[in-house]
Amino acid sequence: MVAALDEAERFITPVLNASNRRGQSGSIIDILLSQDDIASPNSDDRYNIKQRKQVIARTLRLIQDLHASCNTSSNALDQLEPLARQKGQKVVDALLDLLVLEGIYPSLTPGVGVPVECRLKSILKGGFSTRPLNEASGGRPEDQQLLTDIVGSIAPISLSRTGLAPIIRQRICVDLLAAVGELAFSPAFDAQTRQRFATTFKNLMDSMSAMDLFPHLTSLLHSSSPHWFRAVMSSYLAILPLRPGGVRQTLNFIADSTADDSTTPDGRSNQSAGPNISFEALARATKLLTSVPSTMTPDTYTAALAPQLLDLLDDDTVLDNKRIASYVIGTGFLSKRRLGSPGTTGWRLFAESIVESLNPRVEICPVGEDTLKTAIDRLCALVLFHANPGLTKRLVGPILLPLWGLQCYAFSNRRTSWADQVHQILGTHMKISATDGELQLLSDNLLWDGAQLWTYMPGSSGGIEIRQRQSGTSDQSEVATMIEAIDSRVDQYMSLLREAVVTDDQVGGIFTRVSTRWLLGSQSTSKYEQLEILYHGSRNPMESLVNAKLTQKLLENYRDRIASSTEGILKLVEPILSALVTERRRSIGQLGQASQPSLAGLREVVDNGEEVADSERELEETASTALSLLSAVLTSSDGSLGNIDIGILDSVQSSLKYIAQVQSSQDTSLSTTASNVLILLQLQFEAPSLLEEKKGAKGTDGVVEERDKHRKALQLLSDELAPVRAQGLATLTNLVARASSILNVPSTVILLISLLQDEDEYIYLSAVKTLGLLASNHPKTVIKMLVEKYIDPHEESLVDVRIKVGEALNKTIEHLGQLFTEETAKMIGESMIAVASRRGNKPKTLQRRERAKRKAEKTRKEAEDAWGGEIPSDEDANNEEARVNAHIAKIVEGWADTGREEDVRIRVSALSILGTAIETNIAGMGATITSTAIDCVLAILKLEKNEERAILRRAAVMIIMSMVRAIDAAEERGQQLGFGFAGDNLAEVITVLRYVEAMDTDEVVVGHIRALIESLEAWQQKSILGLSRSQHDQEGGVSIDIPRIGGGGKSLKIQELD
């Protein structure tokens, strides 16, 4: 091993240390060929393929000798010891770099492989490559043969997993993949060669984990890649999630690739606790996981991916895994009609098992405790973690009654965890997607305890199971148990009703239906009634008692809201009065064989069959109570008949006239009450032809409807669950989009600003959008309040909050477009310049930072006293990663530790907003603000020289670039601004930029400035010629292209890079 390493060292040393070859020059190949044991180079042919082959052959032999030496000894660790030393590692790395630079890349098709700027930096220093990468041919037979020799030698070593295999995989794995891919799939090679190396390529791919392949394959995919190469790599990338554990590795890779300083102390996600993934990264992961490979059908791909997603969804040890899986399943599959609608593969794999477990067909009974608990856990994750009202409705709607029955059974049998979970599901559904029909369905089936052939039973492990009903068990004891459960079920329904944030109309509708079923025993024919019959068959005989209890609870909890709804009261009173009239007419023989309503069912339950007063007296008592409530409504100031159906009014008046005229022998006071109520009704119609007008046009009260929506939105926004808050914000956004008159603009802006601090990114981003919509109708008010919050003169807000307000300002300015002028533009310009400059004075912030430092110092001293000295660090002092993290932490600390001045991040944000304002409408900003902005950014470039202020200098350069683009665009439109870059002004700007370019140590700043100087020089040439761009191009002049730093026309994102 030592001899092989010494030989390799003698061979490669001339290009490892350039200082040993002073006075000599030439390519790497020339230098290596100049050694005594190799034939002398041919200086006349610098690119001689024979010389390259000779050097590459020698390199391959040395690598094979080293690999063979590692495998000859029984103790591999002893053989690898020389390589573990820094010198040995450097020699092997140099040999591999030589293969890549002089062997692989010069032989590849242009565009195949990793772009040179993205590769690991080579340690070869002795010369230059014989053929630069952009001159690679890849089509010459000599190159093809050389590439075949390299892959034929190196690939077997890499696949062996012994000897030099780990070093090769670490150093040139992605380059080897590119070389094998060239041989396996390039049309330039014959079929035999492609078939041979296709097997090698597959073996290499199979030997690596998905976590290793993701960065390799993504680095090989770029715009300059040949179509055939990009198609192969894309297809392999698309099927990586299908590998065992591929979904987890996909999520971890995306989390790592998008991680920033806010994730974990080391800048990476903690995989043992689940990937710490942002909302944007999660959306990217969902898009990747739902992208069907071209070689598979959507059904096949979904079926292969589903088990891994369900494993994540069932992972109770890591909450983040459940959140991520619920988002991917909900957004990526169940929310798409092609993959997740009922009947599709996605629905069958992800949702059907939940529905069938909770509402099983008789042939799959019993449903065990574990199966039922898994279904509840999955449904809970999909409903609570995923803010999608449509999906919640599709999942919960078909199993509403089974969930209700399960909750009630769990509550009554003290299965607390089960009851809490199901209650959360039902409560969320009620808040964001429940309909009036579903509320009525539950009110009609409070005693529902299972379908006709199955019911809930105790589980084998202390939980709950679903089993078939036992025939002949409906005895008196079961009835007694149900009576005891009525109060509990009514209370649970009232709890759901409160969570549903019902409107007055909904409360009135439920009360009317329940009280009507109690008092009159009417039968519903709605689709929900049909659904109830489908579940349970015939109506439960205890229904009347349940309706009586529920009516009482509704009156206790919602009396004011019921009384304020005149229409609801009339709807309640009308059938009662009609029934009383029918009964009286029947009793005097006017209706012959008409059916008579009674409460026989209720009497059988409550009175055990004892006789009570006749039905007419009961109806008179009920009608007396109903008329008293109607009288109170009509005499109140809020009593209004503006939207009452004329048919109901006519029926009530007709019944009141009959009751007032035909007195009962048992209760004469009822006739008097009826007369008084009739007079009150007639007083409401003193306006001429009111009834005729209502018959001719359907009255609508849009203000009342919008007020109810606004109230409901505010209640939803105060909820703890993100999906519920999302529904509330959606309702508020709808009112803003319609420019509802019910909205108080300042209050709404304050509410939306508070939502910018929401921990859920969906809520925060939606609030930014809503602020933009509101600003389109009220620009001055909205922008003024946002600017005041952003400037924070009283130092009440944290930096993160102000940055989010700044993002809202950015979006608002973009939304206004050319409407961004005059006072609004002036306010933004002056405010942002003030924040971006060094004029900020934040004494309270300084005091908070100093208090935090003192507290941290005190804590450190206490810890050292308890330890008995300096606390040892867990991090290795020689660990490069630890040094990088310390450097980054120092930069971040420098952003905040600015004394009395503004935080650097806020100043950068202000410059970004100013740039957006300039590009949106520079004419509206005016010459004064524009000139002041230029002075400000030039001062920043000249004075803010610290390393921590690099992001500030980058933003300053972008302001000038924004101004150039804005002025150029205005001139192209023929717009006369009256100001711009010219003469001494332009010369001064270029002078400052050149100075900063020469002196600045930040590579990003220097790169931005170089691009900007090119644009300004082009601008100067254009100004001298006095031509527009179109004229300039037509006359053969140089085209002026003002680049957009950051690329793609996207908004600038400023990051601090090492």
Side-chain angles (χ1 to χ4, degrees), residues 914-933:
L914 183 61
T916 300
I918 290 173
E919 289 202 54
T920 300
N921 190 358
I922 190 172
M925 297 291 289
T928 302
I929 293 178
T930 306
S931 176
T932 306

Side-chain angles (χ1 to χ4, degrees), residues 69 538 555 603 696 973 1047:
S69 299
S538 60
L555 282 172
R603 289 199 302 270
R973 295 192 302 267

Side-chain angles (χ1 to χ4, degrees), residues 732 735-749 752 770-787 809 812-813 815-816 819-821 824 827:
L732 182 62
L735 292 174
V736 171
R738 293 164 53 185
S740 173
S741 60
I742 203 67
L743 294 173
N744 181 281
V745 176
S747 300
T748 305
V749 174
L752 292 172
T770 307
L771 277 169
L773 290 175
L774 189 61
S776 62
N777 294 323
H778 309 279
K780 292 183 180 179
T781 303
V782 174
I783 288 184
K784 180 179 179 181
M785 296 184 68
L786 287 174
V787 168
L809 268 174
T812 301
I813 294 170
H815 192 82
L816 289 175
L819 297 177
F820 179 69
T821 56
T824 305
M827 181 194 312

Side-chain angles (χ1 to χ4, degrees), residues 49 53 107 137-148 188-189:
I49 186 64
K53 290 182 65 175
S107 303
S137 61
R140 301 192 312 178
E142 297 88 349
D143 289 322
Q144 295 178 355
Q145 183 59 47
L146 183 60
L147 188 63
T148 303
F189 291 89

Side-chain angles (χ1 to χ4, degrees), residues 66-130:
L66 287 171
H67 177 69
S69 299
C70 292
N71 292 329
T72 55
S73 175
S74 59
N75 191 344
L77 292 178
D78 293 340
Q79 292 292 339
L80 287 174
E81 183 178 355
L83 294 180
R85 300 170 188 161
Q86 182 178 5
K87 188 175 182 181
Q89 179 74 43
K90 188 175 182 180
V91 169
V92 177
D93 287 348
L95 291 174
L96 295 175
D97 285 355
L98 179 60
L99 282 182
V100 172
L101 290 176
E102 298 295 342
I104 292 179
Y105 276 97
S107 303
L108 295 178
T109 301
V112 174
V114 181
V116 64
E117 65 271 10
C118 300
R119 290 196 64 251
L120 289 175
K121 185 177 180 180
S122 173
I123 63 174
L124 300 179
K125 303 177 181 179
F128 52 85
S129 176
T130 58

Side-chain angles (χ1 to χ4, degrees), residues 678-878:
L678 182 60
I679 294 173
L680 291 173
L681 276 175
Q682 291 173 344
L683 290 175
Q684 296 290 333
F685 293 97
E686 288 183 351
S689 305
L690 179 59
L691 287 176
E692 287 73 10
E693 292 178 8
K694 294 178 72 63
K695 290 179 181 179
K698 181 180 179 181
T700 57
D701 193 350
V703 175
V704 173
E705 180 184 357
E706 291 183 348
R707 184 183 293 113
D708 288 339
K709 287 184 178 180
H710 188 251
R711 179 179 59 83
K712 183 174 182 179
L714 296 179
Q715 291 177 341
L716 293 176
L717 286 171
S718 62
D719 196 273
E720 296 180 356
L721 296 176
V724 179
R725 297 199 302 274
Q727 179 66 15
L729 183 54
T731 303
L732 182 62
T733 303
N734 181 264
L735 292 174
V736 171
R738 293 164 53 185
S740 173
S741 60
I742 203 67
L743 294 173
N744 181 281
V745 176
S747 300
T748 305
V749 174
I750 293 174
L751 172 63
L752 292 172
I753 290 176
S754 68
L755 292 178
L756 294 178
Q757 307 174 44
D758 197 288
E759 60 183 4
D760 190 277
E761 291 190 55
Y762 179 86
I763 306 294
Y764 147 63
L765 294 174
S766 298
V768 171
K769 175 184 175 182
T770 307
L771 277 169
L773 290 175
L774 189 61
S776 62
N777 294 323
H778 309 279
K780 292 183 180 179
T781 303
V782 174
I783 288 184
K784 180 179 179 181
M785 296 184 68
L786 287 174
V787 168
E788 289 177 354
K789 183 69 175 179
Y790 184 78
I791 294 176
D792 192 26
H794 303 295
E795 302 181 63
E796 299 171 345
S797 301
L798 299 176
V799 171
D800 291 341
V801 175
R802 295 176 65 191
I803 290 176
K804 289 181 177 181
V805 174
E807 184 176 349
L809 268 174
N810 242 329
K811 296 296 183 182
T812 301
I813 294 170
E814 293 175 353
H815 192 82
L816 289 175
Q818 295 303 311
L819 297 177
F820 179 69
T821 56
E822 302 175 353
E823 296 180 9
T824 305
K826 183 179 179 181
M827 181 194 312
I828 288 288
E830 292 176 348
S831 301
M832 295 307 107
I833 292 173
V835 173
S837 65
R838 304 179 70 175
R839 287 176 283 173
N841 185 19
K842 300 293 181 181
K844 294 182 181 179
T845 303
L846 177 60
Q847 292 174 4
R848 285 198 298 266
R849 287 199 294 263
E850 291 175 347
R851 285 197 300 267
K853 286 182 180 180
R854 288 195 296 269
K855 183 177 179 180
E857 181 64 18
K858 181 180 178 181
T859 302
R860 185 186 63 81
K861 288 183 178 179
E862 291 175 352
E864 289 179 350
D865 293 339
W867 183 265
E870 184 177 357
I871 300 176
S873 175
D874 293 335
E875 297 180 337
D876 185 0
N878 296 323

Side-chain angles (χ1 to χ4, degrees), residues 406-421:
L406 180 60
Q407 173 190 316
C408 294
Y409 180 85
F411 187 84
S412 61
N413 289 273
R414 298 181 181 178
R415 268 56 168 189
T416 306
S417 61
W418 289 68
D420 291 343
Q421 267 192 304

Side-chain angles (χ1 to χ4, degrees), residues 322-471:
K322 297 180 77 72
R323 292 181 182 274
I324 293 170
S326 68
Y327 184 88
V328 174
I329 293 173
T331 301
F333 291 95
L334 295 180
S335 294
K336 295 182 178 179
R337 179 174 299 180
R338 180 173 59 90
L339 296 174
S341 59
T344 61
T345 301
W347 180 268
R348 176 175 57 82
L349 293 170
F350 298 117
E352 194 171 279
S353 60
I354 297 175
V355 175
E356 289 190 348
S357 297
L358 289 165
N359 183 30
R361 301 186 303 273
V362 66
E363 58 266 22
I364 65 174
C365 281
V367 178
E369 178 180 337
D370 292 340
T371 303
L372 190 60
K373 188 65 168 63
T374 299
I376 291 295
D377 289 341
R378 290 178 178 178
L379 182 61
C380 193
L382 291 172
V383 170
L384 299 184
F385 294 152
H386 181 58
N388 190 327
L391 177 60
T392 301
K393 184 174 183 178
R394 286 193 288 120
L395 287 173
V396 178
I399 52 175
L400 188 63
L401 279 182
L403 286 172
W404 166 253
L406 180 60
Q407 173 190 316
C408 294
Y409 180 85
F411 187 84
S412 61
N413 289 273
R414 298 181 181 178
R415 268 56 168 189
T416 306
S417 61
W418 289 68
D420 291 343
Q421 267 192 304
V422 179
H423 184 80
Q424 281 185 303
I425 296 171
L426 287 174
T428 302
H429 174 67
M430 291 296 172
K431 291 174 185 177
I432 66 178
S433 59
T435 63
D436 295 349
E438 289 174 331
L439 293 173
Q440 292 178 2
L441 175 64
L442 290 182
S443 69
D444 293 347
N445 298 275
L446 289 185
L447 296 180
W448 200 89
D449 63 344
Q452 189 171 6
L453 299 176
W454 59 261
T455 189
Y456 303 102
M457 296 288 182
S460 57
S461 302
I464 302 173
E465 294 179 352
I466 294 179
R467 303 179 199 161
Q468 293 186 9
R469 288 185 184 272
Q470 301 295 324
S471 58

